[in-house]
Amino acid sequence: MDDLRQKYLDAITGAADEGALEALRVQAVGKKGEISLKMRELGKMSPEERQIMGPALNALKDQINDALALKKAALGDAALNERLATEWLDITLPSRPRRQGSIHPVSQVTEEVSAIFADMGFAVAEGPQVESDWFNFDALNIPPEHPARQEHDTFYMHRAAGDDRPPHVLRTHTSPVQIRAMQDQGAPIRVIAPGRVYRCDYDQTHTPMFHQIEGLAIDRDISMANLKWVLEEFFTAFFGTKVQTRFRASHFPFTEPSAEVDIQCSWQDGTVKVGEGNDWLEVLGSGMVHPNVLRAAGVDPDEWQGFAFGIGIDRLAMLKYGIPDLRAFFDSDLRWLRHYGFAALDVPTLHGGLSR
Ligand code: 2U9
């Protein structure tokens, strides 16, 4: 019995892997194993012999099962340690760089301007970029032979041969949006119309597509004084500092009287600072909406009056963020956007400026 014990305990200790261990288990305590066979022989023994051999064989079986279990655990640990030592991931390896987008300054400024005017009760209106010449010109008191039609450097859409109707145009301003808004809602009305506009012009300060925001406020007694207050309120909120304005008499077909508006600024080392100094920078056009325009939009000019203004968004973005060249807006390289501080997460909120 002791030989048997020693034989199996030694073999178990020396087992190289789980396969060898299983073979030993079958050989020792399996159904036809050496110890199981010995147990079967108990029946042939005298009761005295059986009383001694029975417990001894059971104890031997338990001892071998315990040794098998211990060795199995040890082999499992060893296998795991071996894997841990050979199979490892270098988690310090830098991840692959991910390309990150960035909000465009024009989009950001559009949101900022819309939010400021929304706080003053202006709704945002949008309209088509391909317009009929009636909405783009006639309704705005620019008749077919008016020189402003040429000045606008209009892109004309194609008409089929034999179709004599006047061609549609790429809108040259967002004013048609406000004509449509007045037709739909009537007066009183307060809207701003941001969006893309098109003029056939390309040089250092002009691109064939640019962005405008126009504003319109019509009520029974709206005046130029209201216009001045709204604009100063806007510039002060937009630039984050008190900004004076200067009105200069001007002429537009759609407003009477008309004024060009300058904002207070200073020039230092070739860069402009808004809201300080004794210089003036022209930034927008404005005036009281011409009675002909109100009439075309279905609003009675004897009952209603109001102001309108137009401002270039691209220019505003350049001024606020110190972008010197308009062409940067059309550059596909995102690095310049980062250069001017535009991160992917610069999302303007309606109330309370930018969330960063
Ligand atoms: C309606 C009636 C009148 C909008 C106006 C201007 C003057 C103006 C320029 C500013 C810079 C265009 O982007 S820019 O080059 N705009 O000078 N815009 S008054 O007048 C309107 C608009 C809508 C129904």
Side-chain angles (χ1 to χ4, degrees), residues 140 175 178-179 182 199 210-212 214-216 252 254-255 259 283-287 289 293 308-312:
L140 286 146
S175 318
Q178 294 154 93
I179 298 290
M182 279 193 281
R199 294 186 193 180
F210 60 106
H211 304 80
Q212 280 188 340
E214 289 194 349
L216 175 78
F252 306 109
F254 26 83
T255 47
V283 283
L284 63 77
S286 64
V289 178
V293 175
F309 61 87
I311 187 162

Side-chain angles (χ1 to χ4, degrees), residues 277-343:
N278 301 317
D279 276 327
W280 297 98
L281 191 69
E282 182 191 327
V283 283
L284 63 77
S286 64
M288 296 300 289
V289 178
H290 196 289
N292 289 350
V293 175
L294 292 175
R295 220 172 278 120
V299 170
D300 181 357
D302 294 328
E303 219 182 313
W304 306 99
Q305 63 182 38
F307 66 72
F309 61 87
I311 187 162
I313 300 176
D314 313 72
R315 239 339 262 312
L316 269 188
M318 292 167 76
L319 269 179
K320 178 159 177 178
Y321 294 104
I323 302 164
D325 190 335
L326 181 66
R327 283 168 292 195
F329 289 143
F330 301 93
D331 197 322
S332 57
D333 191 335
L334 281 178
R335 282 173 297 184
W336 73 268
L337 279 173
R338 305 226 166 81
H339 175 77
Y340 293 115
F342 285 85

Side-chain angles (χ1 to χ4, degrees), residues 262-283:
D262 304 338
I263 52 176
Q264 175 199 8
C265 72
S266 72
W267 287 97
Q268 272 162 16
D269 310 322
T271 59
V272 65
K273 278 232 171 77
V274 173
E276 59 172 53
N278 301 317
D279 276 327
W280 297 98
L281 191 69
E282 182 191 327
V283 283

Side-chain angles (χ1 to χ4, degrees), residues 73-127:
L75 283 173
D77 283 353
L80 183 61
N81 283 333
E82 167 79 6
R83 282 188 61 194
L84 287 173
T86 55
E87 297 174 20
W88 58 285
L89 286 174
D90 182 0
I91 56 165
T92 65
L93 195 68
S95 60
R96 289 189 192 90
R98 261 194 296 169
R99 293 168 74 85
Q100 234 190 356
S102 170
I103 190 163
H104 196 281
V106 169
S107 306
Q108 171 143 336
V109 166
T110 303
E111 294 292 325
E112 290 173 18
V113 174
S114 302
I116 294 167
F117 280 105
D119 277 348
M120 291 193 274
F122 287 77
V124 176
E126 287 181 322

Side-chain angles (χ1 to χ4, degrees), residues 153-206:
D153 300 312
T154 314
F155 286 109
Y156 289 92
M157 306 300 286
H158 178 72
R159 278 268 186 233
D163 187 340
D164 293 332
R165 290 173 301 170
H168 280 42
V169 300
L170 289 181
R171 68 181 182 196
T172 59
H173 44 193
T174 60
S175 318
V177 175
Q178 294 154 93
I179 298 290
R180 289 173 181 278
M182 279 193 281
Q183 283 184 340
D184 293 347
Q185 302 165 35
I189 189 170
R190 265 182 278 179
V191 284
I192 54 164
R196 292 183 167 174
V197 299
Y198 303 84
R199 294 186 193 180
C200 188
D201 202 355
Y202 189 48
D203 59 33
Q204 263 197 312
T205 53
H206 296 90

